[in-house]
Amino acid sequence: MNVLLKNGDVLSLEDGANCLDAALKISEGLARAAVAAKINGKIVDLKVTLNENDTLEIVTLKDKEGLEVYRHTCAHVLAQAVKTIYPTCKLAIGPVVENGFYYDVDFNTPISQEDFEKIETEMKKIIKANAPIERFELPRNEALELMVNYDEKYKVELINDLPEDAVISFYKQGSFTDLCRGPHLPSTGKIKAFKLTSLTGAYWRGNEKNKMLTRIYGTAFEKKAQLEEYLIAVEEAKKRDHNKLGRELGIFMSSDVVGQGLPILMPKGAKMMQILSRFVEDEEEKRGFMITKTPYMAKSDLYKISGHWDHYRDKMFILGEIDESGESPTGEEVVALRPMTCPFQYQIYKNGLKSYRDLPCRYSETATLFRKEASGEMHGLIRVRQFTLSDGHIVCTKEQVADEFKRCLDLSYYILDCLGMRQDVSFRFSKRGKSKSDKYIDNDEAWNNTEAMMKVILDDLKIDYVEADDEAAFYGPKLDVQIKNVYGKEDTLITIQIDFAAGESFEMNYIDADGVKKTPYVIHRSSIGCYERTLAFLIEKYAGAFPLWMSPTQVKILPITDRTLNYAKSVAEKLSMQGIRVEVDSRNEKIGYKIREAKMEKTPYVLVVGDKEAEEGTVNVNKRGVEEKSTVLCEEFIAKVIEENINKIIF
């Protein structure tokens, strides 16, 4: 039997040989490092039997898929340990996630992170036992019977939801059996370094109408040193976590009586939002955008035209009673809070006949939007139910699409540069691809043409992007500017989308040069993205020590005694007249205490003024991050701060 290896070599094996036999024949070292295999491009267990002319790749922990197999096996070890310690608990799901894994469990009695030690001890026993891990498959009725006998109701539900022709597979390690598609390590003893990291609640299947389960997170690495390095990095990340740091710095807060996913921006956060939105609006106006102000809600009629009612209704807050079809059973008017501004801005375009000379029409809005995120999805400022978006739409001819797309990207590049985030982002070309999901407009020709158009634009702009199928907007493909938080989780920061459907749906037309009525294209874009999300990433990037131009308080002046309070106020007035945000700390506290507090607040400049400074017209400058202090003329300091503020110097 001959097997083709990934590198093109042909390996001769006996009939019935498996992937591990092949790895051993290649080299003992590779066999020891092997954790899984790919047969004809599909990831499988090492014990899978090879057929003649299969294409084989041995997978190790150096491969992304190998590390995922390793961690998924550790998730099963966690499940076995939990089931051993808490035999009445019910197991749900335990997938791999970025940097680790989790398992959702339904406990009769709640557990806490204090229970991790005994769970980890039991996991170590399971690993030390080095039990072989065996895969087996069952027909649907036998699979259901097995999980019913184990009293695993969540597994029963999963099996019932599988397609009729699905392969129902299980993995057994020692006395423990779990429903799983695999693959897994050959035995539990292959796991060398792991750690349970956190505990949270999660609704079964992400639906808040279902029961809240306990989600146990963990991670695993090939070597103990790698695990320790990761755990140190996580501790450092926690110090920058916007959800913690943003609250400590008084940027935002939340309230149980207000509701989940509805953060409250405190004065510092609100000031930063104002700074950023004014900056963005001014920059958009320079680039030809016309500002709009549209309603926060609209009748369902508007969303039916746009397609949101059919493709996005589950994510919308609806005011009024509707049935499963989305219609009012009483015939009364139904309105919904807006999840976007596009259909509102289209009404502005339609207000009067347009010719080709009027295009492109560029509309922008700092828009408050509402989206019905699931409870388990919300996180700090990154994913919320009410948010503020730098929303914009460009109505243009097909010939103008490429140039307008480039202009949108140039604007986002400029904003990212000013924020100091240009090097932190990556790019994703989000397509429908081959997906036939009903979440997309059903028009294969339009999808193929628009995706091809965007690919040409991206390639001409020499953007280094990855392609992702089934990530498009329901009306067209998009370029997503991606960014990772301190824990490595990726989110979309900015997006630029090409819409092939809106022009026709809303009967937006223009008269071409030849006098013919034509339908325009629409580009949806956000220049800075969601302000709340951007603010979260700024908090994490700078650990709260923001560049001067975006700091809510740029200069804090500390008079040493009441005698110099008037001088401090005169310096503050001069700074304020130049647009510098300044505060005077006039409290009757020791100067050392006030300096330490100002530094804790991460104020860019702290000025100390005493009798000498007042007499000489100087200020003693404490610059954030600089150990040495300097005394300079007041006017000299003011000129320096103005320059730094105007030029948006990052460091």
Side-chain angles (χ1 to χ4, degrees):
M1 178 178 72
N2 292 325
V3 172
L4 178 66
L5 301 181
K6 186 186 177 186
N7 65 2
D9 293 343
V10 176
L11 187 66
S12 180
L13 294 166
E14 294 184 7
D15 291 346
N18 59 33
C19 304
L20 191 56
D21 296 329
L24 187 60
K25 187 161 185 179
I26 297 168
S27 81
E28 288 189 12
L30 182 60
R32 285 194 297 272
V35 294
K38 277 186 179 178
I39 300 179
N40 305 326
K42 181 183 178 183
I43 187 87
V44 296
D45 296 302
L46 281 171
K47 298 177 182 179
V48 170
T49 302
L50 290 160
N51 296 314
E52 191 167 3
N53 298 324
D54 274 340
T55 301
L56 173 68
E57 178 185 354
I58 301 300
V59 177
T60 71
L61 288 176
K62 290 183 174 61
D63 302 302
K64 180 176 180 289
E65 297 98 329
L67 191 55
E68 288 176 350
V69 169
Y70 185 83
R71 288 172 172 168
H72 188 50
T73 302
C74 198
H76 275 229
V77 171
L78 166 61
Q80 182 179 355
V82 166
K83 199 71 180 174
T84 302
I85 300 170
Y86 310 96
T88 60
C89 75
K90 303 290 183 286
L91 300 176
I93 57 172
V96 172
V97 293
E98 192 163 10
N99 297 322
F101 58 88
Y102 70 77
Y103 215 110
D104 286 347
V105 185
D106 186 357
F107 290 98
N108 284 336
T109 304
I111 69 166
S112 68
Q113 286 196 217
E114 293 177 357
D115 297 302
F116 279 5
E117 185 176 350
K118 64 182 176 184
I119 297 173
E120 288 176 342
T121 299
E122 184 62 32
M123 291 175 70
K124 289 173 184 175
K125 290 180 184 177
I126 295 166
I127 291 168
K128 187 176 180 181
N130 196 24
I133 300 176
E134 302 289 345
R135 175 189 171 98
F136 64 92
E137 298 173 5
L138 291 176
R140 178 180 293 273
N141 60 333
E142 292 181 28
L144 286 169
E145 183 180 356
L146 179 65
M147 289 296 101
V148 168
N149 289 339
Y150 282 153
D151 195 20
E152 293 289 0
K153 62 179 182 179
Y154 298 103
K155 306 293 183 180
V156 170
E157 183 177 330
L158 290 171
I159 293 170
N160 280 324
D161 286 348
L162 290 172
E164 286 295 328
D165 59 349
V167 174
I168 303 175
S169 58
F170 297 84
Y171 279 81
K172 178 179 172 62
Q173 54 195 50
S175 60
F176 177 72
T177 300
D178 201 359
L179 173 72
C180 186
R181 69 169 180 258
H184 282 276
L185 299 175
S187 67
T188 59
K190 297 287 185 182
I191 298 169
K192 302 301 180 187
F194 74 92
K195 182 71 178 173
L196 300 183
T197 54
S198 63
L199 191 77
T200 187
Y203 289 108
W204 169 234
R205 294 191 155 182
N207 188 334
E208 60 188 6
K209 295 179 181 178
N210 292 335
K211 186 171 183 180
M212 175 75 78
L213 307 179
T214 300
R215 177 167 293 178
I216 303 174
Y217 281 98
T219 191
F221 288 86
E222 179 182 10
K223 297 176 182 177
K224 187 177 180 180
Q226 293 172 324
L227 175 62
E228 290 175 349
E229 183 181 342
Y230 170 76
L231 294 176
I232 290 171
V234 168
E235 287 305 310
E236 288 300 311
K238 286 179 181 177
K239 296 176 185 177
R240 290 176 173 263
D241 185 340
H242 87 278
N243 216 1
K244 175 177 179 290
L245 189 56
R247 297 171 195 272
E248 291 174 352
L249 292 173
I251 294 172
F252 76 99
M253 60 170 284
S254 56
S255 167
D256 290 341
V257 296
V258 172
Q260 192 179 12
L262 299 169
I264 300 170
L265 291 181
M266 298 169 76
K268 289 181 181 178
K271 173 53 70 173
M272 290 191 70
M273 181 82 81
Q274 183 189 59
I275 294 163
L276 292 173
S277 61
R278 284 176 173 175
F279 160 59
V280 170
E281 287 176 356
D282 287 347
E283 194 59 38
E284 288 176 337
E285 189 172 355
K286 289 177 190 174
R287 297 170 187 249
F289 282 91
M290 298 176 285
I291 193 166
T292 68
K293 192 72 174 173
T294 56
Y296 281 19
M297 65 181 75
K299 295 195 301 181
S300 59
D301 304 48
L302 183 72
Y303 304 118
K304 289 175 183 177
I305 298 171
S306 68
H308 288 91
W309 203 248
D310 289 334
H311 300 284
Y312 206 79
R313 190 168 67 241
D314 290 343
K315 289 283 190 180
M316 296 169 66
F317 288 102
I318 297 168
L319 309 179
E321 186 182 353
I322 60 170
D323 56 27
E324 290 184 1
S325 68
E327 299 299 326
S328 169
T330 62
E332 293 184 2
E333 183 176 270
V334 175
V335 299
L337 297 177
R338 64 181 186 184
M340 79 309 291
T341 64
C342 38
F344 298 86
Q345 292 183 344
Y346 299 158
Q347 304 307 306
I348 298 173
Y349 177 86
K350 286 167 60 69
N351 185 30
L353 187 65
K354 301 291 189 298
S355 91
Y356 71 97
R357 296 179 186 274
D358 298 313
L359 303 186
C361 285
R362 307 184 187 101
Y363 303 110
S364 66
E365 183 167 336
T366 303
T368 300
L369 304 178
F370 307 86
R371 294 183 186 174
K372 195 176 181 180
E373 300 286 0
S375 296
E377 294 293 321
M378 289 178 288
H379 174 63
L381 295 176
I382 289 179
R383 193 167 292 276
V384 292
R385 285 176 168 166
Q386 176 183 308
F387 59 98
T388 314
L389 185 68
S390 60
D391 212 3
H393 301 88
I394 302 163
V395 186
C396 61
T397 69
K398 182 178 181 180
E399 293 74 24
Q400 292 169 333
V401 168
D403 185 57
E404 290 301 312
F405 194 100
K406 179 181 182 301
R407 288 169 61 96
C408 291
L409 189 60
D410 285 343
L411 172 59
S412 290
Y413 278 160
Y414 175 73
I415 289 173
L416 288 170
D417 284 336
C418 291
L419 297 176
M421 299 171 75
R422 176 83 171 267
Q423 302 307 313
D424 301 331
V425 301
S426 59
F427 298 91
R428 184 181 74 188
F429 177 19
S430 297
K431 308 185 297 180
R432 181 194 69 160
K434 296 179 180 178
S435 173
K436 295 296 182 182
S437 169
D438 59 7
K439 69 181 182 181
Y440 298 116
I441 290 175
D442 185 16
N443 187 330
D444 288 346
E445 182 180 2
W447 275 106
N448 294 337
N449 290 342
T450 312
E451 287 181 355
M453 176 195 295
M454 183 174 279
K455 180 170 176 55
V456 170
I457 293 171
L458 299 181
D459 290 343
D460 285 348
L461 292 173
K462 296 181 170 52
I463 296 174
D464 183 15
Y465 62 84
V466 297
E467 295 189 20
D469 287 344
D470 202 23
E471 291 288 347
F474 71 80
Y475 44 70
K478 55 195 176 102
L479 175 68
D480 290 324
V481 182
Q482 303 292 102
I483 191 168
K484 292 183 178 179
N485 69 8
V486 287
Y487 299 108
K489 183 182 182 302
E490 187 173 273
D491 278 292
T492 299
L493 188 69
I494 294 168
T495 185
I496 307 172
Q497 310 166 355
I498 300 178
D499 186 339
F500 59 77
E504 183 175 348
S505 299
F506 279 89
E507 298 180 348
M508 292 191 289
N509 301 305
Y510 68 93
I511 305 301
D512 205 353
D514 55 9
V516 176
K517 184 183 289 187
K518 291 190 175 179
T519 302
Y521 273 76
V522 173
I523 297 175
H524 304 244
R525 51 99 276 194
S526 57
S527 51
I528 196 174
C530 164
Y531 284 93
E532 288 84 357
R533 181 174 292 182
T534 300
L535 181 54
F537 285 112
L538 287 170
I539 293 169
E540 295 188 347
K541 177 177 179 63
Y542 294 109
F546 305 109
L548 178 89
W549 78 268
M550 67 179 79
S551 293
T553 300
Q554 296 172 308
V555 179
K556 186 165 266 193
I557 306 176
L558 315 180
I560 295 177
T561 67
D562 287 344
R563 291 192 306 274
T564 54
L565 179 57
N566 286 336
Y567 177 63
K569 288 181 177 179
S570 70
V571 174
E573 185 177 358
K574 290 176 183 178
L575 285 163
S576 184
M577 290 297 290
Q578 296 297 326
I580 302 301
R581 297 178 292 279
V582 58
E583 292 179 10
V584 176
D585 187 345
S586 59
R587 295 175 300 166
N588 186 24
E589 298 283 357
K590 291 182 178 179
I591 193 65
Y593 173 81
K594 292 199 282 190
I595 291 173
R596 286 192 300 273
E597 192 174 76
K599 287 183 176 180
M600 288 288 291
E601 292 172 354
K602 304 180 186 288
T603 309
Y605 286 101
V606 178
L607 306 184
V608 179
V609 293
D611 292 334
K612 184 179 179 181
E613 285 79 15
E615 183 180 336
E616 297 178 352
T618 60
V619 289
N620 183 265
V621 182
N622 294 254
K623 183 176 181 179
R624 185 183 60 203
V626 177
E627 196 67 31
E628 295 180 4
K629 303 172 181 62
S630 61
T631 299
V632 299
L633 288 170
C634 179
E635 286 71 19
E636 183 182 334
F637 172 76
I638 292 173
K640 181 182 184 304
V641 172
I642 291 171
E643 180 185 8
E644 187 176 340
N645 189 49
I646 290 174
N647 293 327
K648 295 182 171 57
I649 296 171
I650 299 301
F651 298 108

